[in-house]
Amino acid sequence: MGTHRDAHIVWDWNGTLFHDVDAVIGATNAAFAELGLQPLTLERYRELYCVPVPKFYERLMGRLPTGAEWELMDATFHRYYTEHRVRCALADGVAELLAGWSSAGRSQSILSMYGHEDLVPLVRGFGIESHFLRVDGRTGPSGGGKSEHMVRHLGALAGVDPARTVVIGDAADDALAARHAGARAVLYTGGSHSRASLEAVGVPVVDTLAEAVEEAERLAA
């Protein structure tokens, strides 16, 4: 991986490297059904999704869920998602993009709000773990933002300069986390947000991960 003083990418996992949007929508609708809420289309989901996740539910319910409602919906979501993620695959061209970035002597890592104990074997199962300096998933309660996790993640990467780091993700929260940690961001339209929602954040927005890597190279130059 070289000396790691070159450009570094922090990849998001769900909705970015891992194309799991169908499982996410199904899990969300299963959670909504527990409270008698109407199912969402992918387009509507992308218009409304935000972090923290209870705020997303508030946009749909007109109020924040109670503690008991949140626990029920969260458990239902993760149960459904775990059952259906097996049908999901890496996004188009991921293996080649990761290999190309590594072969150029640049470094990369994963930071995800997916549970760490589930994330690591999933990444390993796709045969791509060796491309990353570090793979970090969530170790606390679900539903929150990524900013403090990003600071810790970058702090644990010896020789990686946040100023030459680009976060690639599919959510506005990825860009906010990058900014909080002193890094840059590129947002990808293949996951949880609509293009309009992503463009409102004020960072580059792309439609393919190949474009995201090109933009990351430019930003970190």
Side-chain angles (χ1 to χ4, degrees), residues 11 13 26 30 33 40 42 45 63 70 74 99 118 195 204 206 214:
W11 292 96
W13 178 249
L40 289 175
L42 173 59
Y45 178 93
R63 61 173 176 82
W70 163 251
D74 191 49
D118 293 312
R195 173 173 272 277
V206 298
E214 290 175 6

Side-chain angles (χ1 to χ4, degrees), residues 7-220:
H8 180 83
I9 290 175
V10 178
W11 292 96
D12 175 54
W13 178 249
N14 303 95
T16 304
L17 291 178
F18 190 44
H19 185 66
D20 61 349
V21 66
D22 290 338
V24 168
I25 296 300
T28 299
N29 284 331
F32 287 172
E34 294 285 353
L35 298 188
L37 299 173
Q38 292 298 307
L40 289 175
T41 63
L42 173 59
E43 291 72 25
R44 185 66 171 156
Y45 178 93
R46 284 174 165 166
E47 287 174 9
L48 295 175
Y49 181 76
C50 65
V51 174
V53 176
K55 184 70 176 177
F56 168 51
Y57 290 163
E58 182 183 23
R59 290 180 172 184
L60 293 157
M61 299 169 65
R63 61 173 176 82
L64 282 170
T66 66
E69 287 172 336
W70 163 251
E71 289 181 10
L72 174 62
M73 295 171 81
D74 191 49
T76 301
F77 177 95
H78 285 99
R79 183 172 62 251
Y80 182 101
Y81 179 84
T82 298
E83 292 172 359
H84 289 78
R85 74 180 186 193
V86 295
R87 303 177 187 174
C88 302
L90 297 175
D92 289 344
V94 161
E96 293 79 11
L97 289 171
L98 296 177
W101 189 262
S102 294
S103 66
R106 304 185 181 107
S107 59
Q108 50 199 328
S109 59
I110 292 176
L111 175 61
S112 172
M113 292 298 92
Y114 191 45
H116 185 77
E117 298 302 319
D118 293 312
L119 173 67
V120 171
L122 190 55
V123 172
R124 187 173 296 144
F126 282 111
I128 58 173
E129 185 182 23
S130 63
H131 292 301
F132 305 109
L133 294 181
R134 190 176 180 91
V135 175
D136 282 337
R138 173 183 49 77
T139 55
S142 63
K146 195 179 259 188
S147 292
E148 296 305 323
H149 298 273
M150 185 67 71
V151 172
R152 288 195 295 271
H153 180 76
L154 290 180
L157 294 171
V160 170
D161 180 3
R164 300 205 64 202
T165 295
V166 179
V167 176
I168 298 178
D170 68 314
D173 187 58
D174 291 303
L176 297 177
R179 189 175 302 154
H180 184 74
R184 311 290 286 276
V186 179
L187 296 179
Y188 163 62
T189 62
S192 62
H193 280 22
S194 67
R195 173 173 272 277
S197 297
L198 296 178
E199 288 177 340
V201 182
V203 302
V205 176
V206 298
D207 296 317
T208 69
L209 292 181
E211 292 175 278
V213 170
E214 290 175 6
E215 192 66 21
E217 190 169 9
R218 184 186 68 81
L219 288 173

